């Protein structure tokens, strides 16, 4: 991800436009907001973070139901991608794309922390499933980092 403060203004404008036109607030808009916001929250900190969070909450206010539905859908899709990709049938394959999996997991984390910061945390059961997938993935990552191979 690039600098979240560079991406956020465009994401907020996209959100503004989506809220103004009923039916346009979808998971793509939510993702555009959550990814840079999550990177900002996970980053070293920014004094503008609270202002940005308040601005997003205010923008979403008139379309809260649509926002929440799109948010839940986006979180479920991103989590499902991670959960399904961490399948023992694939992890031991020599051509498994660990780099993609790690990057996708980082983007999922950005979504999760952004949703939490905005006051709409992910379903705890979904988060538990993500953590179980992480636990399945971890030994394979360890073997890639020079620890004892699994096989």
């Amino acid at each position: 991800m690039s600098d979240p403060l560079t991406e956020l203004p465009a994401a907020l404008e996209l959100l503004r436009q989506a809220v103004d036109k009923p039916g346009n607030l979808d998971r793509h808009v939510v993702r555009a907001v959550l990814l840079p916001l999550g990177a900002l929250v996970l980053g070293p900190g920014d004094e503008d973070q609270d202002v940005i969070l308040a601005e997003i909450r205010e923008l979403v206010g008139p379309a809260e139901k649509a926002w929440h539905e799109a948010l839940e859908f986006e979180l479920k899709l991103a989590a499902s991608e991670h959960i399904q990709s961490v399948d023992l049938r694939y992890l031991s394959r020599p051509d498994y794309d660990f780099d993609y999996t790690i990057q996708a997991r980082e983007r999922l984390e950005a979504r999760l922390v952004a949703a939490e910061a905005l006051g709409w945390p992910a379903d705890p059961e979904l988060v538990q499933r993500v953590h179980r997938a992480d636990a399945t993935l971890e030994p394979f990552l360890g073997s890639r980092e020079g620890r004892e191979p699994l096989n």
Side-chain angles (χ1 to χ4, degrees):
M1 271 182 262
S2 63
D3 177 25
L5 289 177
T6 304
E7 293 179 17
L8 265 171
L12 294 179
E13 182 55 33
L14 182 64
L15 177 59
R16 217 174 264 107
Q17 292 171 8
V19 168
D20 288 343
K21 294 180 182 174
N24 283 354
L25 185 52
D26 63 13
R27 70 178 187 84
H28 302 288
V29 175
V30 169
R31 180 178 48 215
V33 172
L34 292 183
L35 288 175
L37 179 61
L40 180 69
V41 172
L42 289 167
D46 185 278
E47 63 273 1
D48 295 332
Q49 182 175 316
D50 290 336
V51 172
I52 292 167
L53 290 168
E55 182 179 357
I56 293 169
R57 284 188 206 104
E58 184 178 324
L59 284 170
V60 166
E64 187 171 339
K65 184 175 187 246
W67 165 266
H68 193 253
E69 288 172 359
L71 174 79
E72 283 185 341
F73 189 53
E74 176 62 19
L75 293 177
K76 284 179 185 174
L77 281 177
S80 293
E81 176 188 22
H82 176 64
I83 292 163
Q84 291 174 6
S85 72
V86 180
D87 183 320
L88 291 173
R89 293 175 294 173
Y90 308 124
L91 288 170
S92 56
R93 289 180 51 105
D95 61 346
Y96 184 84
D97 193 348
F98 283 97
D99 292 333
Y100 177 83
T101 300
I102 292 165
Q103 291 168 7
R105 179 60 178 93
E106 289 170 353
R107 289 188 303 272
L108 170 58
E109 188 65 19
R111 289 172 176 96
L112 293 171
V113 299
E116 177 83 27
L118 286 167
W120 287 287
D123 174 30
E125 185 179 316
L126 183 67
V127 173
Q128 255 185 341
R129 291 177 54 219
V130 168
H131 290 311
R132 283 194 301 268
D134 290 345
T136 300
L137 178 62
E138 197 282 327
F140 289 87
L141 296 178
S143 68
R144 293 184 69 225
E145 294 167 356
R147 289 190 254 161
E148 191 65 31
L150 292 173
N151 297 337

